Every structure is written in structure tokens, then in C-alpha cells.
Amino acid sequence: MQVSVKIPTRKEIEPLGVYVPGKPIEEVKREFGLTEIIKLASNENPYGCSELAAQAVMREMEKCAFYPEGTAPELAAKLAANLGVDPENVIVGNGSDEIIRLLTRSYIAAGDEAIMADVTFSRYETNVRIEGGVPVTVPLIDGVHDLAGMLKAIGSRTKMIFVCNPNNPTGTIVGRSELLAFIEQVPRHIMLVIDEAYYEYVSDPDYLQTVPLLAGYPNLVILRTFSKIYGLAALRAGYGMMHPSIVQELIKVKEPFNSNRMAQAAAIASLDDPVFAADCARRNEAARTKLASELKQLGLSCYPSHANFLMVKLGRSGDDVFRSLLARGVVVRAGSLLGYPDTIRVSVGTEQDNQVFVEALRHILRPDGQPA
Ligand SMILES: *Cc1c(COP(=O)(O)O)cnc(C)c1O
């Protein structure tokens, strides 16, 4: 038994919950006596990563005694060249999660307000709270950001606005012209963060290309990641694009060696293999379309997703279905964790994984209505 801690935390930290990640696979196996588990909980890439990235990591291991380049200049330059911006516009983070934290660390003071959707990616709210800021949430409309409502929520204390596009957990996108008008109307002293973690999955022509807008909107910040379509979630590599002066502020507060060697090497190599990413996008879209139609056959509907996951409306407790799926070796996200108690969020896996998921769900939802 340890004696209790007498050191109080900062008051901002006290009410925060601990981030609940997807259930660890080994834990599920033990609990249910299963040997095979299908994890469709964290929107990971079921096809792994590019072979080039895997080789780059192995090569880079030989240099693991040496600190990495602190600002990932080679990766930043390559991203900039690919995206048509200057390297000075790019900051690389230990995942884009880190960039969210750098933004709030640098810009949110106690009492500052940050507007975000209810429901969206939970890291915005948590990081705003850590700094003593006040999250101002605007409910989604049919799973889509209410941009008009978000504009109305702007007040004298508003410092930052988050738009997650496609939105996690609903997978929806905001329309091209609506988002463009929104960007135009947000006052330039308010930072507008557009999180495009699932950018590479989107094929809808009604999706706004935001990178060309950077030059005209100095308050615009765009976030992307190598964790999703590039399949490098374990290595932690994400990046932000923004005005060079914002990059300089973030560099002041970041850890000197925030992005590690293996992550940088793998990200660079991934950019040399665009065929891998394009192939993943194509396979994801085919599998997602098929999965959505099979769910429809089960009498279930989903929000229209442009990403690699579906939010499934169950019309009953998502927690119950989550647990029943777990017992059958399929791990998804219970919607209750994300603010939708009667849903689950399922990542789009391989055709084979999706099939196992659908069959398990079919069994659980059988006509007598009793969870299996
Ligand atoms: C997964 C995800 C991220 C975080 O990605 P990392 O680069 O792994 O930190 C950021 N935003 C959204 C909306 C995500 O779903």
C-alpha cells in the first residue's frame, strides 16, 4: 500500500478524464479466452504500411544512438514540395496529436474560448482544458459540423476554432462552398484549425482543398498525419501547415527532439510510395461501401462516411453491442465514449475482417432482440 499523494495538481487537470484508447488486444484475448481478435477500433490501416517505410525504419535503427533532427527538415521539405507550400509553413510533430497540444500550449490562456463540434475528436477539448481554456461546443447537425452555429458562437474570448474534416467519429465532411465561406468569415485574430487526419481517404469533389488557402489566410492551420492511410500509427508522425510565424511559436514550446528518427525516415519513404496510399484509399472505399450496404441489410444506418470508419446507428445500447462483439473477438469503439450512446464506431478493415464483424453483428441483433 502506498501512502496517499499530498501534492495537488493544477486545478485545470483535476476534472480531466484519462483518454480511453481502443481495448488492448492481449487483454481481450485473456478475458474471453480467444485466440483470434479483429481490431476495428482505432481507424488503423489494415494493410499495414509501405514496404519502403518498413525498410527505412530498419536502416535508420543503425543510427539509433544519435539524436534525430529536431525539426525534421528533410521531411518538412519533402512535404512542402509535394503540397506546394514552403518548408517554413510545415511543422512535424510526434503525431498530429502533438501539434494540437503545441497549438493550445502556445495560444490558449486561462479563460480563452475554443469552439469545436459536439461531437468531435476529443483531444481538442482535453488540450484546451489543460491550459485552463473553455471549450465551447456546437452540436453537429445530422453528424455534420454546424458551421453557421459555430460562427454564432464566436465571442470576445474566442481564440481558436477546430473543424475536423472528415469528422471523427461521424466520418462526415462539410461542403466545399460552406467551408470556404466559413474560412472567409472567421475573424483573422482567431486561429482556425482544420484537422484533415483522413484527408487522403476523401474522394468527394465537394471536399475543399485547403492548402492553397494558406497564403491568403494567416490564421489557418491544417493538420495531417502519417498514422492513418500511411499506416505508421506506432511511429508517431503528423504535421501541421500554417503561417511561418505560427510555426516559429510552436517550435519555442516543443520538445527539442519531438519527432524520432524512425518516424521521420518512414514518413519520407512513405511519400516515395504514393501507389501504396492510393491503393489503400481505393480498397478502403470499396470495403466501406460494401460494409455500409451490408449494415443497411441488417436494418442499420450509418452517417455518410468519407473516411476509414463508419458510425453505426443501432437504436439500442452501443455499450451492450460493443460487449457482445468483444465476446466474439471483434473490437470496435462504443459510441458512448464518443457521445453517441446508441452507436458504435467501426473502422473499415479488410473485406475478410468486415465480414467477420457483420456476421457477429447479425448474430447479436437476431430477431429475438437478445444480445448473444
Ligand atoms: C487519429 C487522429 C489524429 C491523431 O493522429 P496522430 O497523428 O496519430 O496523433 C488527429 N485527428 C483526428 C481527427 C484523428 O482521428
Side-chain angles (χ1 to χ4, degrees), residues 34-51:
L34 298 161
T35 49
E36 282 295 319
I37 293 284
I38 292 173
K39 186 169 180 249
L40 299 172
S42 303
N43 305 340
E44 292 144 338
N45 190 334
Y47 311 111
C49 69
S50 158
E51 193 54 42

Side-chain angles (χ1 to χ4, degrees), residues 95-97 121 124 164 168 195 197-198 225 227-228 236:
S96 55
D97 277 351
F121 191 50
Y124 314 144
C164 187
N168 183 359
D195 186 343
Y198 301 94
T225 181
S227 297
K228 304 288 158 62
R236 315 304 300 130

Side-chain angles (χ1 to χ4, degrees), residues 10 12-13 101 103-112 126-133:
R10 286 167 51 223
E12 290 83 3
I13 308 301
R101 191 171 55 77
L103 289 166
T104 54
R105 183 85 271 224
S106 308
Y107 288 92
I108 297 289
D112 282 348
T126 305
N127 282 291
V128 166
R129 285 196 194 282
I130 286 171
E131 304 304 333

